[in-house]
Amino acid sequence: MITMKYNFNEIEAKWQKYWKENGTFHAENDSEKPKYYVLDMFPYPSGAGLHVGHPLGYIASDIYARYKRHQGFNVLHPQGYDSFGLPAEQYAIQTGQHPAITTKTNIARYREQLDKIGFSFDWSREVRTSDPAYYKWTQWIFIELFNSWYNVETDKAAHIDTLVAKFETEGNANVNAVCDDDIAIFAAADWTQYDAKTKQEILLKYRLTYLAETEVNWCPALGTVLANDEIVNGVSERGGHPVVRKKMTQWSMRISAYAQRLLDGLNTIDWPQPLKDSQTNWIGRSQGAMVTFKVDGHDANIDVFTTRPDTIYGVSFMTLAPEHDLVQKITTADQKEAVEAYRDATSKRSERERMADVKTISGVFTGAYALHPFTGEKVQIWIGDYVLASYGTGAVMAVPCGDQRDYDFAKHFGLDIPNIFEGVDISEEAYGEKEGVKIANSDFLNGLTYKKAMKTVIYELEKRGFGKGKINYRLRDAVFSRQRYWGEPFPVYYVNGMPQMIDVKHLPIALPEVEKYLPTETGEPPLGNAEVWAWDTNTNTVVDNKHCHSELDAESTDNGIYPLELNTMPGWAGSSWYFFRYMEKALRDEHFASQEALDYWENVDLYIGGSEHATGHLLYARFWTKFLKDRGFVGVEEPFKKLINQGMILGTSAFVFRIDGTNKFISKNILDTINEKVNNGENLSEQEHSLFENWTPISGKSLPVQSIHADVALVSSADTLDIEGFKNWRSDFKDAEFICEEDGTFKVAREVEKMSKSKYNVVNPDEICEAYGADSLRLFEMFLGPLEQAKPWNTAGITGVFSFLKKLWKLYIADEGPRVTETEPTKDNLKTLHKTIKKVQYDIENFSFNTSVSTFMICVNELSVQKCTSREILEPLTILISPYAPHIAEELWFRLGNEGSIATAKFPVFEERHLVESSKEYPVSFNGKMRFKKELPLDLSKEEIEKIILEDERTEAQLNGKTPKKVIVVPGKIINIVG
RNA sequence: GCUCGAGUGGCGGAAUUGGUAGACGCGCUGGAUUCAAAAUCCAGUUCUUUCGGGAGUGUGGGUUCGAUUCCCACCUCGAGUACCA
C-alpha cells in the first residue's frame, strides 16, 4: 500500500532495486546519442570501509552523469577497485589471511556502502586490478612496452623490430633514440656478428621498459623499493619509514622519453592550474647547455649541464657529486684519504639527513684539475654533497659570482670568486639574476646581455666541439619493480640472466600461492617463497621450481624450464589504463578494449578525484596513454580531458580533559573558566582549587590536564558527552569520575583534523543513510561548500537538508493524498520555476553544486508560500532535482503517474520570458552606500529616474539641503547619488 | 626559500561582467501547537547605537560615482615542492 509520508528508507530501497533490475544505468556502446564519459578515481578497498569523505567526489560526478542523461547523452559512468596494494599484504603478513580473501570481503563491504548512496554506476563494466582477467592486459601492456623503443626522429614510440632493422642495415650511429647514456657505437656488420645475448643486452638499453641496475629508494621496513612520488620528506608515504639509497637490478619505465610531450599536453587539457603546475615542476624542464671539461693529465672528460653557459668565464672550480664515477680515477694520492673519508661519510647519511641539513657546507678537493674549454686555465675539481648524483650529470661547473651555492662553497673553502658582471657588487652575495646586467671579463661575450650571450656561447661551444645546447628534465625514469606479493606478476622468465617475455596467448600469468608473504631468508621478494613458479617453454605453463634448469650447474642439460620474475608491478600499473577497460563490455578476454569501443568513447570527458595523485597516477596514466597511442592501440593522446579535484572532508574530533595523575575528567567550560581565572591572576574557589592538588597556579601556565580523543559517536551536536557510553567505551575509563557543568552535562572540546580511525572522528555514510536517507546525505555533502575546497564534517547541519526534502515531499503529497492538480500555473509559479532552471543548469555546468541546493530550498519555500499544485510546475521540478536527490525524484515522478525511470526524462528548458519584469525595486545609494529602495517602472529613461529620485523626500533627508554633485543611474541596476 | 590557493556573522558558506554584502542552511532567542517531548509552524538573529543613524568582507594604501570583486604593499593560514646547477 502506498503511504503518504516521506518514508525515505522504503523509497530508496525500492528505486535502488528498480535500477538494478532494469539495468537503468547500463551504457550502450552503439548509440545514436552523443557520448559522455564521467569517471571517478576508483577506490582502494580498505578494511575500514567508506567514510563520509569518500563519496564527496562520487556524488558530484553522479550529479553530472545524471544531468548529462537528462540532456540526452549516452553516459558512461563506471566504477571499480584499485585492489592490489600494500595494506592487504601487511594484513596478510600479520594474520596469514590471503590478500585475495580480505580484498574480496572489503570490496563486498564497499559495494554495499556505495549501493546505499544511490549512484548511477554501470556495474556491468566493473574492473578490479587484482583480477587475473584484468591484469592479463596489464601484463600485455608491459610486454608491448618491452617491445618498443622511442624514435626521436618521429617523436613516437615504435616496435623494437624497426630498431633491429636499422641496426641490421646501418648500425646504431645514426639512430636517434631515447636510450641509456652508455651506448657504444657499432656498424651493421658488427650487429650481425653479435651473439644473441649481446644483442639482447644492447636492445635493453633502448626498450621503453628495461632491466637495469639502478640506484633505488629502498625502504627496509617495508622490504621494498619506492618510487620518487611514494616518498614524502625522505620517508615512505605509507607508514613514514626511513628510506635509503641502494643499487638493485630493477625494471624501469622510460617515462623520460615522454617528458616534453607530457609537458606540452598540459596545454591541451582542462585541469586545475595547481595540478598542472605540480606536473610541470615534477617534469622540471630546464634549458641550457652540456659542456665538456677535460681533466688535466687524464684521458677523461667531465660533462656538466648548466642553465647559464653565458657565465662560463666565471668558472673558478668544479664540483662533482661524491658518488660520481670519475672521483676514484682522478683523485691524487695525497688527497685519497680525505676523499675516501668524505665519500664514506656521505654514503652513510640518509637522504633525509642530507635534505634536512642544507646549511652545512662540506666538500673535499680531489687534487685533480680540469681545463677550462675556452681559456685552457686549470680549475680545481672538488667533490661536495650539494651536488646531486641523480640530477644532470652529477657534476657542476661552479660559477661562484652567479650562483649562491657555488658562492657559499667558494667562500667556505677560500676559492676564487671572479666577477664577470659589469658593475655588479658581489662582495656579499652572488648575483643570480639573468636580466638587467651585461657580461664582462669574458672575451667574446663581453658586453652582451643574457639572451644574446646564451645564443653566442652555445654557438661557440658547438662550433669548437666543447658542448652543445641541451634541454634537461628533472623527471627520472620510473622504477617499476616492487618486492611485494600483492601485485601484478611480470610475464617474464629468465634464460641466462636475460629476460624473456611470455607470449600474449599464454597470459595471464597468475599470482602463485605462497606460504609466507614476507621476503625469503636469502632476501628475495615474497614470490621467492612460491614453489610452483617456473616457466616451462615446452608446455607454456607455470610448473614446479624443482624442474627448473639451473644455470649454475654446468652438468644439467637445458630442459626449457626457467625461473620466473620474482618482483611484482607497482600500484600504479593497473590504474594507468583502467579507464580504457571500462569501455569494453563483453569480450574482455579477447582484447583490452575493442577498437569500436575505443573509437566511440575516446577518452574521459570528466574525471573527479583527489589532488594527491598529481605526480603519480595522473602522470603515469598520461604516459601509458601516449604510448598506447603511438603504437596505434588507442586513438587519444590524453586520457582525461577535464579534471576536477574534490577537497578533503575533515573530521571534527572531540576531546575530553583528564586531570594529570587522576582518573577525573573535567568538563570543557569549567576548565576554561579556571584557566581564565589563573591567567587573570584571580583566586580560585576552594572547590576549584581542590581539583588540582599539589599544583600552584601561575599566570600564563595552563592547567595540568591531558586531552584525549573521545569517539565522536559518543558526543552530541551540542558537544555533550554520553558519559555512560564513554565509560563503557574503554576499560580504563570504567571507573572514571566526571566533573560536570552546572546543568549536569559534560562538555567536550572540538578540533578539526583529518578524518581517521585513530582520531575517533570517522563518520560513516551508512549511519547517515539509515537516519536521514541517501538523498539527504547527497544533498548535505554538496551543501557543505565548494567541491574543490577542504571542509570539516559537522553532522549537525544535516537536519536542514532533511527538512527540505520533507518540505519538497509535502509540496506534492499531503497527508490525505496527492495534491498535484492540472491547474494553470500562475505567473509567480512560472517565475520561480524558471529562475530555478536557469540557476541549477548554470551551477551544474560550473560544478557549483552547493549553490544549487540553496536554490532548490528557495524554490520549494516559494512554491509552498504560493501554494502551488500545478503539474506544469511540479513535474519539471522533479527532473531538476533528480541528479541531486534521485530517489525522491523517482518516487514523485512515479506518483505523478509517469511510467519508468526519470533517469532519461528531458531536462526542462529555461524560458527567459517568465523572468521579464515591468518594474524594479531600485537600490538608491549615496556615495556608494545603499540607503533606501524605490520601486520604479523599468521603461523609464535615465532622466526620468533621476528626476523622480531627486524629488523623493528620503533623498532630501539624506542630502540635508546640499545639492548633489552627480547622479549615476544604471537602468535596471542601481542609482547612486554623489553628495 | 620558491610556487599555488585562501582569508566575509557564533558556524558551513552566498554574492554569474565592479552595482542592494551576509542568500540558503545550522546554531541561538522568542512565540504557536503539545500533559510533555519529538516533529511542525511563525517571528527575530553582522556589530554598534542616544533608535536619527553609524561602522563593516585579514591590514594599509590606490583606481572608481561605486570595490568582497581590479591594482600595489604587508599579515595570517593551508597545499605542493625543496641544494635541480
Side-chain angles (χ1 to χ4, degrees):
Chain A
M1 95 141 223
I2 281 186
T3 68
M4 295 304 147
K5 261 193 74 184
Y6 173 44
N7 188 338
F8 53 88
N9 283 330
E10 203 173 282
I11 292 170
E12 292 178 359
K14 169 182 164 186
W15 288 101
Q16 283 164 14
K17 185 162 170 259
Y18 177 94
W19 297 332
K20 194 174 182 181
E21 285 173 356
N22 291 275
T24 309
F25 304 116
H26 288 188
E28 292 306 323
N29 279 7
D30 49 345
S31 168
E32 291 301 301
K33 292 178 179 180
K35 72 102 188 183
Y36 200 89
Y37 187 178
V38 184
L39 184 63
D40 298 298
M41 289 187 188
F42 62 167
Y44 173 80
S46 82
L50 287 175
H51 66 62
V52 289
H54 294 114
L56 183 75
Y58 305 159
I59 295 169
S61 62
D62 197 57
I63 290 170
Y64 205 80
R66 285 174 181 271
Y67 170 71
K68 280 287 176 182
R69 284 191 202 98
H70 289 305
Q71 291 286 22
F73 286 83
N74 181 29
V75 173
L76 175 57
H77 185 39
Q79 188 58 286
Y81 306 96
D82 188 14
S83 49
F84 270 135
L86 201 52
E89 180 160 333
Q90 297 288 69
Y91 189 75
I93 291 168
Q94 284 159 26
T95 64
Q97 178 89 271
H98 196 289
I101 294 168
T102 44
T103 301
K104 204 176 161 198
T105 314
N106 293 347
I107 286 176
R109 166 106 174 97
Y110 263 60
R111 178 62 192 274
E112 197 186 328
Q113 288 184 297
L114 289 170
D115 281 348
K116 274 191 187 159
I117 304 172
F119 293 119
S120 64
F121 292 132
D122 178 353
W123 284 108
S124 70
R125 296 166 184 260
E126 185 199 291
V127 305
R128 299 180 185 188
T129 54
S130 60
D131 179 355
Y134 178 82
Y135 67 69
K136 164 177 175 174
W137 295 101
T138 311
Q139 291 173 338
W140 170 79
I141 294 173
F142 175 83
I143 294 169
E144 291 300 334
L145 281 156
F146 183 82
N147 286 332
S148 299
W149 66 293
Y150 201 88
N151 187 343
V152 178
E153 298 294 333
T154 53
D155 201 19
K156 272 168 92 167
H159 197 281
I160 199 81
D161 289 350
T162 63
L163 183 67
V164 173
K166 276 177 186 280
F167 288 170
E168 283 168 352
T169 54
E170 51 182 281
N172 72 345
N174 294 317
V175 169
N176 194 356
V178 179
C179 55
D180 290 5
D181 300 328
D182 56 337
I183 302 273
I185 302 295
F186 55 81
D190 300 327
W191 175 259
T192 43
Q193 279 168 23
Y194 290 147
D195 62 20
K197 188 173 178 184
T198 310
K199 284 182 179 173
Q200 285 307 313
E201 277 167 352
I202 291 169
L203 286 174
L204 260 185
K205 296 175 192 289
Y206 288 88
R207 296 180 190 275
L208 285 184
T209 184
Y210 58 96
L211 200 56
E213 178 155 272
T214 38
E215 188 138 287
V216 295
N217 308 297
W218 173 255
C219 180
L222 296 175
T224 186
V225 304
L226 298 172
N228 288 337
D229 63 280
E230 290 170 317
I231 300 163
V232 178
N233 295 328
V235 295
S236 68
E237 187 188 14
R238 280 185 188 274
H241 304 294
V243 175
V244 296
R245 310 286 302 171
K246 192 177 171 183
K247 280 217 163 184
M248 285 177 78
T249 300
Q250 300 283 315
W251 285 103
S252 282
M253 287 280 161
R254 217 178 287 280
I255 188 173
S256 57
Y258 286 85
Q260 190 59 48
R261 280 168 66 187
L262 288 168
L263 212 48
D264 294 341
L266 291 174
N267 297 323
T268 68
I269 49 183
D270 182 7
W271 286 19
Q273 197 55 42
L275 197 57
K276 288 188 182 182
D277 289 347
S278 64
Q279 289 209 347
T280 305
N281 294 336
W282 192 260
I283 296 166
R285 181 188 201 267
S286 45
Q287 198 158 7
M290 206 63 139
V291 183
T292 304
F293 285 70
K294 286 203 164 71
V295 182
D296 191 26
H298 287 272
D299 179 22
N301 292 326
I302 299 172
D303 291 325
V304 296
F305 175 73
T306 173
T307 53
R308 297 295 304 273
D310 58 314
T311 63
I312 194 161
Y313 281 89
V315 172
S316 62
F317 62 99
M318 302 193 74
T319 316
L320 308 183
E323 303 93 330
H324 198 283
D325 288 339
L326 268 181
V327 174
Q328 268 174 323
K329 188 174 171 187
I330 63 172
T331 303
T332 57
D334 45 334
Q335 289 296 321
K336 195 131 203 131
E337 204 175 320
V339 166
E340 286 301 319
Y342 186 75
R343 271 164 61 105
D344 202 40
T346 11
S347 72
K348 277 186 190 143
R349 292 178 80 192
S350 70
E351 248 335 69
R352 184 152 210 209
E353 277 175 303
R354 258 174 93 164
M355 272 165 60
D357 179 23
V358 294
K359 292 229 169 66
T360 319
I361 296 163
S362 67
V364 177
F365 179 43
T366 61
Y369 291 85
L371 300 173
H372 191 288
F374 288 117
T375 66
E377 263 173 58
K378 283 167 74 169
V379 294
Q380 297 186 354
I381 301 171
W382 285 66
I383 58 172
D385 70 359
Y386 79 97
V387 177
L388 303 175
S390 57
Y391 183 75
T393 59
V396 301
M397 57 173 226
V399 183
C401 68
D403 182 289
Q404 195 58 43
R405 289 155 308 172
D406 295 343
Y407 185 92
D408 295 340
F409 195 85
K411 274 259 151 128
H412 190 260
F413 291 108
L415 300 161
D416 275 356
I417 307 181
N419 191 352
I420 52 144
F421 298 116
E422 212 173 281
V424 169
D425 175 25
I426 53 152
S427 59
E428 291 299 325
E429 57 178 4
Y431 184 82
E433 306 292 314
K434 289 172 179 167
E435 310 297 336
V437 72
K438 286 179 176 168
I439 305 288
N441 303 324
S442 300
D443 192 9
F444 60 91
L445 296 173
N446 283 341
L448 296 181
T449 56
Y450 164 72
K451 269 190 189 155
K452 284 188 178 159
M454 282 287 282
K455 268 194 186 158
T456 311
V457 75
I458 290 172
Y459 175 79
E460 285 295 325
L461 283 169
E462 289 179 0
K463 194 173 89 179
R464 305 196 204 176
F466 301 151
K468 57 179 181 196
K470 187 181 158 93
I471 291 158
N472 200 48
Y473 299 93
R474 199 185 74 126
L475 183 71
R476 307 283 86 200
D477 280 349
V479 175
F480 198 67
S481 301
R482 294 291 182 278
Q483 292 68 45
R484 287 185 193 154
Y485 175 73
W486 194 230
E488 297 88 346
F490 284 82
V492 173
Y493 62 94
Y494 290 88
V495 180
N496 289 325
M498 292 310 292
Q500 312 294 324
M501 297 295 126
I502 293 168
D503 197 290
V504 60
K505 61 177 175 276
H506 308 305
L507 300 183
I509 302 303
L511 200 54
E513 294 302 318
V514 293
E515 281 289 316
K516 273 172 30 188
Y517 302 99
L518 286 166
T520 65
E521 281 166 16
T522 53
E524 285 180 328
L527 291 193
N529 293 315
E531 282 171 19
V532 182
W533 196 237
W535 186 248
D536 185 339
T537 55
N538 310 302
T539 59
N540 290 311
T541 50
V542 177
V543 297
D544 200 301
N545 296 352
K546 66 179 179 238
H547 305 303
C548 217
H549 162 62
S550 169
E551 287 156 29
L552 300 174
D553 183 1
E555 298 299 303
S556 76
T557 47
D558 188 339
N559 60 358
I561 299 174
Y562 306 104
L564 280 155
E565 168 74 51
L566 299 181
N567 289 295
T568 53
M569 298 186 196
W572 56 268
S575 60
S576 293
W577 72 280
Y578 76 109
F579 38 90
F580 290 125
R581 184 60 160 183
Y582 286 131
M583 296 175 184
E584 180 57 36
K585 201 179 169 107
L587 302 171
R588 287 185 159 191
D589 195 44
E590 282 175 29
H591 34 228
F592 75 101
S594 73
Q595 204 56 54
E596 301 78 61
L598 289 161
D599 288 344
Y600 179 71
W601 293 109
E602 298 177 316
N603 49 12
V604 177
D605 294 286
L606 174 65
Y607 196 30
I608 295 187
S611 56
E612 66 272 21
H613 299 106
T615 52
H617 161 58
L618 290 173
L619 199 60
Y620 297 128
R622 294 182 60 217
F623 160 42
W624 279 28
T625 301
K626 286 176 192 301
F627 164 73
L628 292 170
K629 164 101 189 306
D630 285 354
R631 290 291 315 279
F633 299 120
V634 304
V636 293
E637 180 80 15
E638 289 287 343
F640 317 117
K641 279 200 275 213
K642 181 176 178 66
L643 187 141
I644 290 182
N645 288 131
Q646 93 271 19
M648 205 193 309
I649 289 193
L650 303 162
T652 312
S653 303
F655 289 93
V656 292
F657 300 99
R658 182 167 64 187
I659 298 169
D660 285 359
T662 71
N663 205 8
K664 280 184 197 162
F665 289 83
I666 182 162
S667 184
K668 186 202 171 249
N669 293 342
I670 300 180
L671 183 71
D672 287 351
T673 312
I674 303 179
N675 258 328
E676 205 174 311
K677 278 193 182 176
V678 172
N679 280 328
N680 296 339
E682 292 170 41
N683 286 333
L684 301 183
S685 71
E686 207 165 299
Q687 196 199 350
E688 284 166 346
H689 200 264
S690 70
L691 294 171
F692 297 95
E693 292 172 83
N694 311 322
W695 181 74
T696 331
I698 300 166
S699 179
K701 200 181 153 195
S702 51
L703 290 155
V705 292
Q706 183 191 4
S707 64
I708 297 169
H709 276 104
D711 193 323
V712 288
L714 300 169
V715 182
S716 80
S717 60
D719 297 347
T720 306
L721 181 74
D722 167 6
I723 294 176
E724 280 313 304
F726 185 73
K727 281 182 172 177
N728 293 331
W729 179 45
R730 270 166 53 178
S731 58
D732 47 330
F733 300 149
K734 204 171 164 38
D735 303 313
E737 290 174 58
F738 295 85
I739 299 149
C740 296
E741 306 287 330
E742 275 175 25
D743 61 1
T745 61
F746 187 94
K747 299 283 185 194
V748 301
R750 294 285 201 169
E751 211 174 293
V752 172
E753 296 181 294
K754 209 172 160 175
M755 203 171 268
S756 106
K757 224 174 165 182
S758 64
K759 295 187 170 79
Y760 300 106
N761 60 3
V762 173
V763 182
N764 290 111
D766 324 49
E767 300 164 16
I768 308 280
C769 288
E770 193 60 36
Y772 301 98
D775 286 339
S776 285
L777 175 78
R778 293 170 62 108
L779 282 173
F780 186 54
E781 293 227 359
M782 292 299 104
F783 193 53
L784 283 174
L787 182 61
E788 0 26 286
Q789 241 168 60
K791 51 216 157 227
W793 178 265
N794 185 356
T795 312
I798 198 159
T799 54
V801 292
F802 182 54
S803 41
F804 158 73
L805 286 174
K806 284 190 287 190
K807 249 189 213 172
L808 174 75
W809 181 265
K810 274 196 238 163
L811 196 56
Y812 293 79
I813 294 152
D815 293 343
E816 311 79 46
R819 45 197 305 170
V820 179
T821 62
E822 306 302 322
T823 346
E824 280 287 303
T826 67
K827 222 177 151 236
D828 280 348
N829 293 162
L830 285 163
K831 189 178 160 189
T832 297
L833 176 70
H834 280 270
K835 79 176 185 196
T836 305
I837 298 172
K838 187 184 181 187
K839 174 80 175 133
V840 169
Q841 182 156 2
Y842 178 89
D843 284 346
I844 297 180
E845 284 167 4
N846 291 280
F847 304 95
S848 172
F849 303 114
N850 54 327
T851 49
S852 282
V853 182
S854 311
T855 304
F856 289 131
M857 288 172 170
I858 294 167
C859 175
V860 168
N861 286 345
E862 285 183 7
L863 292 178
S864 301
V865 170
Q866 293 163 16
K867 303 208 180 339
C868 174
T869 58
S870 172
R871 171 187 291 273
E872 220 176 291
I873 300 295
L874 296 179
E875 199 163 89
L877 180 60
T878 58
I879 304 169
L880 280 186
I881 212 161
S882 128
Y884 290 81
H887 309 89
I888 194 172
E890 288 276 20
E891 183 65 19
L892 293 174
W893 178 253
F894 166 74
R895 298 215 187 182
L896 284 165
N898 293 293
E899 297 267 334
S901 171
I902 196 172
T904 50
K906 200 175 170 317
F907 203 78
V909 177
F910 168 65
E911 287 175 42
E912 183 72 45
R913 67 190 167 100
H914 297 298
L915 300 193
V916 175
E917 296 280 355
S918 60
S919 71
K920 154 95 186 169
E921 194 182 28
Y922 278 95
V924 183
S925 298
F926 290 80
N927 297 319
K929 284 260 169 219
M930 203 279 290
R931 294 306 175 198
F932 64 86
K933 290 176 191 171
K934 192 171 177 77
E935 183 91 22
L936 293 171
L938 273 167
D939 52 10
L940 291 183
S941 70
K942 276 190 182 186
E943 291 71 28
E944 286 168 312
I945 294 173
E946 183 172 335
K947 187 159 179 287
I948 294 167
I949 287 298
L950 285 176
E951 280 167 3
D952 194 284
E953 53 189 22
R954 287 170 297 185
T955 307
E956 284 169 25
Q958 279 290 334
L959 287 170
N960 210 2
K962 284 178 281 185
T963 23
K965 282 182 192 150
K966 205 174 178 183
V967 179
I968 312 282
V969 176
V970 185
K973 287 247 163 143
I974 198 171
I975 297 154
N976 191 19
I977 298 167
V978 189

